[in-house]
Amino acid sequence: MANATMVTEFLLLSSPDGWNLNFLYFTVFPMIYLGTLLGNLLIVTITTADQNLHTPMYFFLRNLSILDMCYISITVPNACVNTLTGNRAISVAGCATQIFLVIFCACVELFFLTIMAWDRYVAICQPLQYPLIMNPQFCVHMTLASLLSGLLYAGVHTGNTWLSFCQSNVVHQFFCDVPSLLGLSCSDITSNMVLILVSITVIGSGCFAIIIMSYIRIFSAVLKFPTRSPGKAFSTCTPHILVFSVFISSSAGVHLRSSATSDTLQDMVLSVFYTMVPPFMNPLLYSLRNKQVKEAVGRVMGTQLFSGK
C-alpha cells in the first residue's frame, strides 16, 4: 500500500493515447443517445396506451425500455458534456454513484432479458397454462425481485471497489467502472477479482442457462408440430438472443480481463457494446420486427405508418 494518496476526484479519459475520438462524442454518441430515448419512449407509450399490448411480454418490454433509458443516461450525456467542456473531472461521490447505477442497471437488464425468455417459453410451450403462470402478481413480483437483487448486487460491488489508490487518478474509461478503478489501486485486488469472477459466473451462467434452455425447448416444440409457424417463433426469439449475446459477451469481456494487461481502446469499445448497444437495439428489434407493435403504433397514432401503404 505504498505511495497511497487521498483521492478527491478522478479524471475520465475520453480518448486513449494516440487516438482522437472527439467526433464520437460530438456526433455518434449523441445520435445513439437520442435514438435510444425516442425508440424506448415510443415502446413505453405504445405498450401503455394500447390495451391489446397489456400482456406479460409487453409488461416486461415496457420495464426494459424504461430501464434502458435510465441505463444509457448514466454514462453518455456526462461523457459528451465532459468532452465538449474539456472538464474531465468527476468527484469521488459522483464516481461511486455512476459505478453503482451502471452495475444496477446492467444486473437488472440481465434479469429482465432472462424473464422475457422464460415468458416466451411458457407462451409457446405451455399456452393453456400461460395465463395462470404469468399472472399479473407473478410479473410484479419478478420485477420487484429483479430490482432488489440489482440493488444488492450493485451495493456489494460498489463497496468492494473503494480501496487505496496510488500515483494516478486517471480512469481509463469514458465513465467510472470497476475494472478501471481496480487498476489504480495500491491494495491487493485478488479478492475483488475473485468476487467478480464468482458473481459473473454464478449469475451470468445461471441466466444464460435459463435462456438457452428456454429457446431449445421453444425451437423443439415449434419443429415438432408442423401446424405452428416456425418463422414467427424464430422471429420473436432471434432479437432476444442477439441482444443478450451482445450484452453478456461484451460485459464479461471487460470485467474478466486483467487490468494490468488490458488495452484501453479495446476496453472502451467493449464498454460501448454493453452500455449503449443493447439499449439502442431493443426498440429497433422489438418494434421494427414485431407485427403487434407496428399495428399498435398505427392504432394509437391513428395512421397506417407501418402498414406499407
Side-chain angles (χ1 to χ4, degrees), residues 127-191:
L128 297 180
Q129 297 180 346
Y130 182 75
L132 297 177
I133 298 176
M134 302 300 294
N135 60 74
Q137 281 189 333
F138 177 81
C139 294
V140 172
H141 289 164
M142 291 302 294
T143 300
L144 292 177
S146 299
L147 295 174
L148 292 176
S149 299
L151 288 173
L152 178 62
Y153 184 85
V156 169
H157 282 279
T158 303
N160 200 45
T161 302
W162 297 106
L163 305 168
S164 298
F165 302 100
C166 53
Q167 298 180 5
S168 176
N169 66 336
V170 177
V171 177
H172 292 268
Q173 265 291 9
F174 61 92
F175 66 97
C176 284
D177 69 342
V178 172
S180 297
L181 285 187
L182 291 181
L184 303 178
S185 176
C186 302
S187 307
D188 182 11
I189 62 172
T190 303
S191 61

Side-chain angles (χ1 to χ4, degrees), residues 100-150:
F100 177 86
L101 292 176
V102 167
I103 296 176
F104 168 74
C105 289
C107 185
V108 176
E109 175 117 357
L110 179 60
F111 290 146
F112 279 175
L113 292 174
T114 305
I115 295 171
M116 290 171 71
W118 172 260
D119 170 78
R120 290 299 84 205
Y121 157 70
V122 177
I124 294 174
C125 299
Q126 303 180 42
L128 297 180
Q129 297 180 346
Y130 182 75
L132 297 177
I133 298 176
M134 302 300 294
N135 60 74
Q137 281 189 333
F138 177 81
C139 294
V140 172
H141 289 164
M142 291 302 294
T143 300
L144 292 177
S146 299
L147 295 174
L148 292 176
S149 299

Side-chain angles (χ1 to χ4, degrees), residues 236-255:
T236 302
C237 298
T238 301
H240 202 149
I241 296 174
L242 285 174
V243 172
F244 179 81
S245 299
V246 170
F247 175 73
I248 196 67
S249 59
S250 56
S251 178
V254 170
H255 289 86

Side-chain angles (χ1 to χ4, degrees), residues 103 107 110-111 153-154 156-157 160 178 191-207 248 255-256:
I103 296 176
C107 185
L110 179 60
F111 290 146
Y153 184 85
V156 169
H157 282 279
N160 200 45
V178 172
S191 61
N192 303 75
M193 297 306 297
V194 169
L195 178 61
I196 293 174
L197 176 62
V198 170
S199 59
I200 289 181
T201 301
V202 172
I203 297 177
S205 299
C207 292
I248 196 67
H255 289 86
L256 295 181

Side-chain angles (χ1 to χ4, degrees), residues 13-17 19-22 25 264 268:
L13 187 66
S14 58
S15 301
D17 293 338
W19 293 83
N20 186 352
L21 304 180
N22 287 345
Y25 298 101
T264 301
M268 284 186 169

Side-chain angles (χ1 to χ4, degrees), residues 26-65:
F26 293 142
T27 57
V28 180
F29 280 19
M31 290 176 62
I32 292 178
Y33 180 63
L34 291 177
T36 300
L37 291 185
L38 292 175
N40 284 291
L41 185 60
L42 176 63
I43 288 182
V44 172
T45 303
I46 296 303
T47 55
T48 301
D50 193 280
Q51 294 292 326
N52 295 320
L53 300 185
H54 287 187
T55 63
M57 174 183 175
Y58 294 105
F59 171 79
F60 288 115
L61 179 58
R62 179 167 61 250
N63 291 340
L64 181 66
S65 294

Side-chain angles (χ1 to χ4, degrees), residues 42-43 45-47 50 53 287-288 290-306:
L42 176 63
I43 288 182
T45 303
I46 296 303
T47 55
D50 193 280
L53 300 185
S287 60
L288 295 181
N290 191 302
K291 183 179 178 181
Q292 286 181 295
V293 173
K294 295 177 187 178
E295 293 175 347
V297 171
R299 287 193 297 268
V300 172
M301 295 186 173
T303 180
Q304 297 298 320
L305 181 61
F306 293 91

